[in-house]
Amino acid sequence: MGCAHGKCCGHRPRSSDSDSREFQEVSQFSVHGKHILTERSIECVPVPSRNFRLEYSVLTQRGYYPYSPGKENEDSFCIRTQVQGNPNLHFFGVFDGHGLFGAQCSNFVRDRLVDILANDPRLLLDDPANAYSSAFVRTNHELHDSEIDDTESGTTAITVLVVGDKLLVANVGDSRAVIALKVGDRVLAEDLSSDQTPFRRDEYERVKLCGARVLSEDQLDGLKDPDIQTWGDEESEGSDPPRLWVQNGRYPGTAFTRSIGDSTAEEIGAIADPEVSTVQLTPDHLFFVVASDGVFEFLSSQAVVDMVASYPDPRDACAAIAGESYKQWLAHGSRTDDITIIIVHVKDLRNVPMLQGQHP
């Protein structure tokens, strides 16, 4: 989620297919146990309290920026198994930086969020959801107090904490987590998070009450009526979405309503408080996906789940989704976003009741 021509500010450029050569399709096979494209082995971690296991892989692909060829990947990810030394507690997170110092913000949050979470005893005691929320808020304060200039830079964060046979999902921003549910012969996508943008009426009304002007760039430039405060949906208006602006200026222009960092946007309603939800895993849950909006900009949740379901090896699925996302970006413009995807297969989960006194 770069600032130039991205979710922070600016229109998406017009399409051009002349520069698609940077991401060439690569044969997907393994050498010495490592996947050629991802250069990673399949990782596996048990969840002994429920006698199942998680099999996972991750891929991050730097975006293609023709006007900034040296631009670094602003996405980062964190996979931390056995949080707090607990074999039933595993963390998966994707952080999508934006702005001039987006990569620094993303990396800072990647490192600090899980450490704060891992040192909060409430995580496994009386109030795990509150511990999760507190970790986001504290990380935000620490980023503000750090040496990183987060005035108009920051990061979104989509995270999934596996707690025994439950998923605790916390999200700020417009990256996404999705779970696959087997229903008969079909595999259905169920969103684990809801994108936090002005397209959501509740988020729109919240930031307006905090003083934000909510306008698309065409409205800001006088090309469209600024009094029309409806923008359709993200699929139809993704190239010129509603953004947050101060009352008398052309900044910060964020197309999301929650993030970590972004101290200027924070003054007009952007917050770091996550939306937290809990999902009970069942044997019909096949896998979940945690990914940056570089994946979901042009691919629906169902399309991503369909692609994962068609590949037994999560490394192949990561590579295929990254490649398709990259192709879709170039079909719609002259650049791509950074792309990061974690795929976690849920293996051998059965409906076995927890023994009395047993903890996750």
Side-chain angles (χ1 to χ4, degrees):
M1 184 190 298
C3 183
H5 307 300
K7 288 295 184 66
C8 188
C9 58
H11 280 300
R12 185 178 299 134
R14 295 187 178 276
S15 63
S16 168
D17 58 4
S18 61
D19 297 302
S20 60
R21 60 187 177 274
E22 182 170 293
F23 191 94
Q24 299 293 337
E25 214 171 295
V26 179
S27 300
Q28 295 166 16
F29 57 90
S30 297
V31 175
H32 304 305
K34 286 197 173 182
H35 194 274
I36 284 294
L37 185 56
T38 65
E39 296 184 349
R40 296 184 67 89
S41 302
I42 295 177
E43 305 286 347
C44 187
V45 63
V47 184
S49 70
R50 286 297 182 273
N51 198 29
F52 72 98
R53 70 185 194 278
L54 304 171
E55 187 178 275
Y56 58 91
S57 189
V58 61
L59 184 149
T60 186
Q61 166 71 34
R62 187 181 73 87
Y64 171 65
Y65 303 94
Y67 302 110
S68 185
K71 190 175 184 294
E72 61 184 311
N73 188 346
E74 294 178 323
D75 282 2
S76 65
F77 65 88
C78 177
I79 297 174
R80 176 82 63 89
T81 59
Q82 300 190 29
V83 177
Q84 295 189 348
N86 189 314
N88 303 300
L89 202 59
H90 311 291
F91 177 90
F92 302 88
V94 169
F95 310 95
D96 185 352
H98 51 262
L100 185 60
F101 304 105
Q104 293 95 315
C105 292
S106 174
N107 292 335
F108 180 94
V109 174
R110 173 199 64 197
D111 295 337
R112 285 300 297 145
L113 180 64
V114 70
D115 282 346
I116 293 170
L117 200 61
N119 286 290
D120 192 331
R122 294 175 298 172
L123 193 59
L124 284 180
L125 296 175
D126 56 339
D127 200 352
N130 192 44
Y132 217 173
S133 294
S134 295
F136 273 73
V137 173
R138 179 176 165 187
T139 302
N140 186 55
H141 289 318
E142 290 191 5
L143 179 56
H144 290 339
D145 292 338
S146 73
E147 295 180 354
I148 300 169
D149 180 1
D150 70 349
T151 307
E152 293 188 41
S153 298
T155 185
T156 63
I158 177 66
T159 66
V160 176
L161 184 69
V162 180
V163 185
D165 60 354
K166 293 183 176 65
L167 303 183
L168 202 60
V169 183
N171 177 54
V172 293
D174 55 0
S175 292
R176 192 179 304 172
V178 180
I179 197 165
L181 178 67
K182 186 172 177 58
V183 180
D185 295 331
R186 297 185 299 165
V187 179
L188 302 181
E190 293 186 346
D191 287 338
L192 297 175
S193 61
S194 176
D195 298 356
Q196 296 150 350
T197 75
F199 284 110
R200 272 178 52 178
R201 200 66 192 178
D202 58 338
E203 288 292 285
Y204 162 81
E205 290 173 352
R206 185 181 59 76
V207 298
K208 286 278 285 186
L209 286 173
C210 293
R213 283 194 302 164
V214 181
L215 300 168
S216 70
E217 285 204 307
D218 279 349
Q219 289 177 309
L220 196 69
D221 292 336
L223 301 177
K224 291 183 179 178
D225 186 350
D227 293 329
I228 298 175
Q229 293 284 279
T230 56
W231 296 273
D233 55 39
E234 293 187 56
E235 283 70 30
S236 62
E237 300 294 334
S239 62
D240 188 23
R243 300 174 182 274
L244 277 62
W245 311 93
V246 298
Q247 287 298 321
N248 297 301
R250 294 185 62 94
Y251 63 92
T254 58
F256 42 82
T257 55
R258 303 194 191 201
S259 67
I260 300 176
D262 294 296
S263 59
T264 298
E266 198 173 80
E267 296 174 2
I268 52 173
I271 57 175
D273 301 70
E275 292 182 308
V276 182
S277 60
T278 302
V279 175
Q280 175 70 56
L281 289 174
T282 73
D284 293 323
H285 287 121
L286 304 180
F287 55 82
F288 61 87
V289 176
V290 186
S292 63
D293 77 323
V295 169
F296 292 109
E297 181 77 8
F298 299 109
L299 297 180
S300 68
S301 297
Q302 187 62 54
V304 169
V305 162
D306 289 344
M307 292 181 73
V308 176
S310 67
Y311 291 93
D313 189 327
R315 297 171 298 181
D316 290 339
C318 282
I321 291 168
E324 181 63 23
S325 300
Y326 201 97
K327 184 174 78 172
Q328 289 297 322
W329 274 94
L330 290 177
H332 289 81
S334 61
R335 70 160 193 107
T336 80
D337 200 356
D338 303 322
I339 294 165
T340 301
I341 180 167
I342 301 172
I343 297 172
V344 184
H345 283 266
V346 179
K347 297 286 190 177
D348 302 324
L349 178 61
R350 295 176 176 86
N351 282 323
V352 180
M354 181 183 284
L355 297 176
Q356 187 171 6
Q358 189 178 11
H359 295 284

